[in-house]
Amino acid sequence: MPDKPLTVLTYAASASLAAVALVYFFNPNQFIDGDSSTSSASTRKKGVVGLVNPANDCFINSILQSLAGLGDLRLYLIREVHRRQLDDASIYTSGPEKDDQGKHVDLAKLVGLQSGAVTQGLKSMLDQLNERPIYKKTISAQSFIAVLEHAFDRKISRAQQDAQELLQILAERLSEEYHAGKRARERYRKGLRCINGDGVPPSSQEDSQNSESDPLKVSAAASELLVPFFAADKRVAEEEEGFPLEGQTEARVECLHCRFIPKPAPTSFVMLNLMVPQKGVTTLNECFDAHFKTEYIDDYKCDRCRLDHAIETLEEELPFAKSQEQKEVVQAKIDRVRKTLEVDPEKPPERVRLPDIQHAPKRRVARHVQITRFPKILVIHLSRSMFDPGSYSQKNSAKLTFPERLPIGGIVNRKNYKLLGLVTHRGTHNSGHYETFRRQHLYPPTSRPHVEKSSGPYSASATPTPSNQASPHLSGNLPSTPEGRMEGRASISGGERLSYSSIRSPAVSAISLSPPSSRPTSGSAGAGKGSSPGSKRTSPLQGVDQATSILAPPMEAKAEQSAMSRYSASLDLARFKRKKKTSDRWWRISDDKIKECNTVDVLGMQRDVYMLFYEMERDDTTDA
């Protein structure tokens, strides 16, 4: 008998633990990613993985934690790693002996880039950092450091290092691996297009004819079957998304004398380096204005002005020609230079020796840099170094205000970016400590935003499969009295009440009418002359007329129906306009120490902000 209460308590405790385990199994994010009303601060602090710092590794830890919070980068890494795993291994383990310019290619280095070792190592590291533990967890970045040391064939110093330099090297390496893999796939597609005898170049066609057992040699019928594959593969290659951190700028130079603008040379970048002005308080917009402002350069040798100077020099030599033949030669040179001016002033004219460039006129030009391809992830490095020739370098501790939403570009090509992370530095120019602020941002499949998209097996919208519930049926033999109309509206199958606006909508054609009753009515037109006694049924037109009369509500019910339709319409608009509240929670990560903060705390790090990570917003996404 004394053991009975203990047994009851044991059963109750076991049932409670089982319930908690079931809830966490089916919805674990309720404990970690829930609102503040359903999750405690101590629980949310354990929702991110920390990194140990055995030496001076805070510069590595801060960069890895910042990259772990970038959703577009993680999607890119998953796509690239899976693509290399699904493709044939021979695509990435072979390469040409010479490049397009005829230079010798280091095959070992090329294969290392095509294999994507750093891409795979970074994906594995970020996957570990994005785990959702229910307890405090700390890992080491040593595995990723070993991948970097093997890729660059050198040791990484554990002395005080710059986080910006590490990210620059890492981002450039990822970009090189992406382009190397893309070129390898293009060579493979080009080789597949040439498997037919007619598509093989002349040099290799002879070799194919000599080789009887060529594995790439297929019949003409088989090559015709590959045409749709080539078209689809080309479309996929054109729609392929590039490295998300890579953007492109163009520098336009305009001669202020002749107004000639040479062809701008595009330059790729993975990070924008902005100088912080040496003042007490500044803004990020001022740094952008200083970087992209129009720069005036003196003593510039303009190509068009040089050709004009050549024409003037030749015209001066024309009167001093001793013979008619010499005059014709000089005039021919003048004509060639003028033709070059009309076609392409940047290309030197043929068979004409221009005057020495030292004698060319010097002009004043205006140079303007603009972003022509915006990256999905914009990384901004705020350079705080102050160089003094008479002393050592110092750190610029100016306060810099930065926004949470950053618009970039003009009116036509404006892009909006959202702040997802930043790296701060505390200390002097030669030593200090790096910390990371990372937004508690959720990405699919962890988050499930109900966004209306095209139907599909993994889409949140409804599939085109029809529902099992039948369409409302209206009886065709109801009386035409007002009471009968009300009863007719109430007799809609399914127990649903249709508003007048929905009935009058074009969807009324989808409402099917039930077959007319075989029972005669007093107002039946089917009992007229010539009808047989056994076929006293209402005609289809009569049933439609009666249904139309039923659909027309009486005058006393119009106000109620219009009010209900306005109320339902307002509910629908409110449902579609409802957006998720922007996440205001951040993680402040200092190696293995993790705290929670909000957006106000992040924007207040004006004196220590060192790097900013913005992600491009899209129109078809909601705020997380």
Side-chain angles (χ1 to χ4, degrees), residues 353-423:
R353 184 177 181 180
L354 299 178
D356 193 354
I357 193 173
Q358 295 180 358
H359 303 290
K362 299 178 181 180
R363 305 301 185 189
R364 181 181 174 87
V365 296
R367 182 178 182 272
H368 176 67
V369 180
Q370 61 180 0
I371 300 177
T372 56
R373 188 175 73 241
F374 294 88
K376 291 183 179 180
I377 300 174
L378 180 62
V379 182
I380 302 174
H381 166 234
L382 302 172
S383 180
R384 292 181 173 271
S385 300
M386 297 186 302
F387 300 98
D388 189 358
S391 62
Y392 55 89
S393 301
Q394 297 180 359
K395 179 182 177 181
N396 185 2
S397 300
K399 289 186 177 181
L400 187 141
T401 59
F402 52 94
E404 184 181 5
R405 294 292 200 284
L406 179 65
I408 296 181
I411 300 177
V412 179
N413 60 344
R414 172 162 295 184
K415 304 295 182 182
N416 296 319
Y417 287 85
K418 179 181 178 181
L419 182 65
L420 292 188
L422 73 154
V423 174

Side-chain angles (χ1 to χ4, degrees), residues 594-611:
I594 301 169
K595 298 181 181 179
E596 191 178 19
C597 60
N598 53 24
T599 306
V600 177
D601 299 331
V602 173
L603 299 180
M605 305 300 295
Q606 301 175 1
R607 193 178 296 276
D608 301 326
V609 59
Y610 184 65
M611 299 180 68

Side-chain angles (χ1 to χ4, degrees), residues 123-192:
K123 175 189 176 297
S124 177
M125 191 71 221
L126 298 189
D127 289 344
Q128 297 180 45
L129 292 177
N130 279 280
E131 292 180 1
R132 315 295 291 181
I134 60 174
Y135 57 89
K136 184 177 180 181
K137 184 176 180 180
T138 304
I139 61 176
S140 175
Q142 187 59 38
S143 59
F144 180 69
I145 295 174
V147 171
L148 289 179
E149 292 177 346
H150 182 269
F152 292 99
D153 195 16
R154 63 185 61 184
K155 287 288 185 178
I156 296 179
S157 176
R158 297 305 176 87
Q160 295 285 344
Q161 299 292 338
D162 192 356
Q164 180 266 336
E165 295 178 358
L166 174 67
L167 181 59
Q168 183 77 27
I169 295 173
L170 176 59
E172 290 178 355
R173 174 73 182 198
L174 294 175
S175 178
E176 292 176 359
E177 289 184 352
Y178 164 73
H179 289 289
K182 182 179 180 181
R183 287 190 295 267
R185 290 187 292 270
E186 290 176 354
R187 288 195 302 268
Y188 182 73
R189 298 188 191 104
K190 186 177 180 181
L192 287 180

Side-chain angles (χ1 to χ4, degrees), residues 56 83 87 181 188 242 255 278 289 294 315 329 336 366 443 490 497 550 581 583:
N56 298 317
R83 173 180 292 166
D87 290 342
Y188 182 73
C255 179
Q278 298 182 15
D289 294 340
T294 303
E315 289 178 349
V329 171
R336 294 192 191 99
Y443 292 93
R497 184 175 183 180
I550 293 173
K581 184 174 64 175
S583 176

Side-chain angles (χ1 to χ4, degrees), residues 59 236 339 498:
F59 71 101
V236 171
K339 184 178 180 180
L498 301 180

